[in-house]
Amino acid sequence: MVVLIGPMGVGKSTVGQLLAERLGVGYRDTDDDIVAEQGRTIAEIFVDEGEPVFRAIEKQAVQRALTEHDGVLALGGGSILDEDTRALLAGQRVVYLSMDVEEAVKRTGLNAARPLLAVNPRKQWRELMEARRHLYEGVATAVVTTDGRTPEEVTQAALDALELKDA
Ligand SMILES: Nc1ncnc2c1ncn2[C@@H]1O[C@H](COP(=O)(O)OP(=O)(O)OP(=O)(O)O)[C@@H](O)[C@H]1O
Ligand SMILES: O=C(O)C1=C[C@@H](O)[C@@H](O)[C@H](O)C1
Ligand SMILES: [Mg+2]
């Protein structure tokens, strides 16, 4: 199993699918699992029930995916906020995809599907990263910078960082 973590828009879903193809394994994404299970979008869950309820749903989804799946697994950007989830990640191969704030605004700006960045993306992204950077770094076994790299280049860098060869 290879687990991908990192902030919204860093490319977990894009790179996760490429990485799974390169390794010849399945791809799974906990955000997609939640949408399928709940029958509504992540933004709708945030609006209807608030972030704490979303985090509880997410925690279950991550636990289930880590147990059921063997392949590439992309986690929701905020899943590492949960202490039990961080404990579950110990012993896994965890790749932290990182980027700087300008890249983040380019990739996520003005996208209402990401409720945590809806109002002032640059400021909100900085604040999120202040709170989370050490959590991402703490659970990561490899850190891969995505700034100025294409998704294919990021995928190759992740394979190199993990010392994994294609299937
Ligand atoms: N290396 C890259 N260079 C440029 N654009 C990228 C790169 N990787 C992803 N993108 C683009 O950035 C956007 C966000 O990518 P993606 O949805 O894969 O991120 P994510 O980490 O899964 O986000 P979320 O946490 O919201 O699910 C997409 O429009 C994607 O095409
Ligand atoms: O970073 C976050 O807190 C989030 C990231 C996305 O993957 C989604 O799980 C949701 O938009 C929240
Ligand atoms: Mg995604």
Side-chain angles (χ1 to χ4, degrees):
M1 174 95 91
V2 176
V3 181
L4 296 181
I5 60 168
M8 283 169 276
V10 76
K12 299 179 297 294
S13 303
T14 309
V15 170
Q17 290 173 64
L18 291 172
L19 193 58
E21 263 172 47
R22 289 279 302 267
L23 292 170
V25 299
Y27 169 75
R28 185 160 164 168
D29 188 315
T30 59
D31 281 337
D32 296 342
D33 289 351
I34 292 167
V35 171
E37 172 208 295
Q38 293 283 316
R40 45 190 175 155
T41 65
I42 305 264
E44 283 166 348
I45 302 170
F46 266 77
V47 170
D48 293 348
E49 316 215 40
E51 182 169 347
V53 170
F54 172 76
R55 293 299 172 205
I57 295 168
E58 178 174 52
K59 178 175 181 164
Q60 298 298 320
V62 174
Q63 278 182 9
R64 211 175 309 123
L66 282 171
T67 316
E68 292 172 1
H69 185 63
D70 190 15
V72 175
L73 176 66
L75 300 189
S79 55
I80 46 75
L81 292 169
D82 186 86
E83 192 180 347
D84 298 329
T85 296
R86 295 199 299 277
L88 278 182
L89 291 174
Q92 298 275 356
R93 283 190 293 212
V94 181
V95 179
Y96 165 34
L97 299 179
S98 73
M99 65 181 163
D100 71 17
V101 63
E102 291 312 321
E103 194 83 29
V105 171
K106 260 190 261 167
R107 292 190 203 170
T108 60
L110 308 176
N111 186 340
R114 295 187 171 89
L116 291 179
L117 299 178
V119 181
N120 180 344
R122 191 173 273 102
K123 177 166 177 283
Q124 289 174 303
W125 196 84
R126 280 212 179 89
E127 287 172 3
L128 274 185
M129 287 307 294
E130 290 294 308
R132 294 182 183 177
R133 188 172 286 111
H134 70 288
L135 301 176
Y136 287 132
E137 289 173 355
V139 296
T141 51
V143 182
V144 173
T145 306
T146 69
D147 300 308
R149 284 176 165 165
T150 65
E152 289 75 16
E153 288 168 343
V154 174
T155 303
Q156 184 58 55
L159 287 167
D160 293 344
L162 291 164
E163 296 184 3
L164 289 174
K165 303 250 185 305
D166 293 41

